[in-house]
Amino acid sequence: THGITYDPARDLLIASEPLAGAIVTFPAGASGEVAPLRVIQGPETHIHRPYQEVVDDVHHEIDVADNEGDSVLVFPWDANGNQPPLRVIEGPNTGMREPVGIGVDPVRNLIVVAADGGTKTWQHNGGLFIFKRTDNGNVAPLRVIAGPHTGMKRTWHMALYQDKIYVAVTSSTAATGGYVPPYDRGGYAPRPGCTGPPRLGDNSRGFIGVWKITDSGDVPPEFIIRGDACPHPGDLAINPAKGEIYTGGQEANGMFTFLVPQFFSSGS
C-alpha cells in the first residue's frame, strides 16, 4: 500500500493498493487475514495506481491521488465495487504529473495535491496544486507552489491543518530527487531564472516542509525539518494537539516522530 488513512468518524482504516488498482476499507480493529469491508476496483473507477487518499467527513467523500492516471478521483465515502467516481480532476490544464499526496480543506472548499513531477522519466518537477474542492474535468489550479526556492523536487505524502500544508519531500538518490538548491551543484551560479534566496542547505536526502495554503508560486517553506534525523521522508501524519509530526524514513526503514509545536501555532 502507498497510503493509509484512519477515518475516526467511522473507526475505519482505508488503504490504497497500487499494484491491484484498488482502495480497500477495513475495521480499525481488524487483525490477521481479514477480508475488507469494501473494495473500490474496476474499469469504471478510473483507478490505476492510487497513492494517498483522504476522507472528507464534512461532505462524506474520499479523495484519491492517482499516480498513473495523473488525476484526482473523488468517491462517496461508502463507495464499493466497480463504481465510477463523483468527480475527476485530470488533463493538461491541471499541470499535475504523477500525484502522490492529497489533502482536503472542507472549510475553504479546497483540494491540495502534491505531485511528484515525473518519476517515469526521472525528470522531477514536483509541486503543490491547489484546486476548488468541487472542480471536475480538465481545469486549471487556483494556485501552484513550485520552483527552485520551494526546494521541492520529489513530493510524497502531505497533510492539511488550518491554513498550513505539511509535505514530505523525498529522494531516491541525491541525483534524482530531494532538495533542489537554487544554485548549480558547483555552487558558482544561480540556475536559469533563479534570483535567490540562498539555498536552505544540502537536502539531497529530502525534508519535511510547511507552506501556507494561501502561498503561490516559487515560495520557500515557512518551516523545514531536514538532515540526518529525517532521511528520505515518505509517508506523513500530523498530531496538532501534541505538536507532533510523524514520518517514515525510507533510507532508515523506520518511523520518526518530531516534536514541533511551533509548526502548528496560528499566526506564525
Side-chain angles (χ1 to χ4, degrees):
T1 181
H2 274 345
I4 299 176
T5 297
Y6 175 61
D7 180 357
R10 285 161 285 275
D11 197 30
L12 298 173
L13 289 175
I14 303 169
S16 64
E17 176 42 65
L19 299 182
I23 303 293
V24 294
T25 300
F26 296 91
S31 180
E33 189 174 352
V34 179
L37 297 173
R38 291 186 292 275
V39 179
I40 309 174
Q41 185 183 44
E44 296 297 323
T45 68
H46 291 249
I47 296 175
H48 296 281
R49 196 177 184 214
Y51 272 52
Q52 189 177 13
E53 70 288 296
V54 64
V55 177
D56 181 351
D57 272 328
V58 174
H59 300 97
H60 308 293
E61 294 176 341
I62 298 176
D63 297 64
V64 180
D66 193 287
N67 178 264
E68 185 70 28
D70 293 335
S71 60
V72 170
L73 310 172
V74 182
F75 297 92
W77 76 268
D78 57 352
N80 192 29
N82 187 19
Q83 182 171 339
L86 298 171
R87 297 183 301 279
V88 179
I89 301 175
E90 64 179 354
N93 290 340
T94 68
M96 295 185 301
R97 291 189 63 188
E98 302 187 31
V100 289
I102 190 166
V104 176
D105 185 335
V107 176
R108 296 174 178 82
N109 272 319
L110 298 174
I111 290 177
V112 182
V113 182
D116 200 5
T119 59
K120 301 182 188 73
T121 59
W122 296 104
Q123 297 297 317
H124 303 294
N125 188 21
L128 302 175
F129 297 77
I130 302 171
F131 298 90
K132 296 178 183 177
R133 185 188 62 82
T134 55
D135 275 345
N136 190 28
N138 184 19
V139 296
L142 296 172
R143 295 184 297 281
V144 177
I145 304 171
H149 305 110
T150 69
M152 285 185 285
K153 194 170 176 74
R154 290 198 64 187
T155 60
W156 198 251
H157 287 181
M158 55 157 292
L160 297 180
Y161 176 70
Q162 293 183 349
D163 66 339
K164 290 186 173 63
I165 308 170
Y166 304 79
V167 186
V169 180
T170 189
S171 164
S172 294
T173 69
T176 59
Y179 180 77
V180 186
Y183 287 79
D184 65 19
R185 293 189 182 279
Y188 302 115
R191 294 178 184 271
C194 175
T195 58
R199 58 187 294 176
L200 298 175
D202 182 8
N203 275 291
S204 60
R205 298 175 72 196
F207 65 95
I208 294 172
V210 182
W211 284 264
K212 287 187 173 68
I213 203 168
T214 53
D215 283 341
S216 181
D218 191 4
V219 181
E222 181 180 8
F223 298 107
I224 190 169
I225 301 172
R226 67 177 189 268
D228 291 341
C230 187
H232 300 302
D235 45 3
L236 182 141
I238 61 175
N239 185 349
K242 298 293 186 182
E244 294 179 339
I245 291 180
Y246 316 109
T247 188
Q250 298 180 55
E251 183 183 72
N253 195 28
M255 294 297 299
F256 298 84
T257 300
F258 297 95
L259 180 62
V260 283
Q262 69 275 20
F263 283 28
F264 302 98
S265 59
S266 58
S268 57

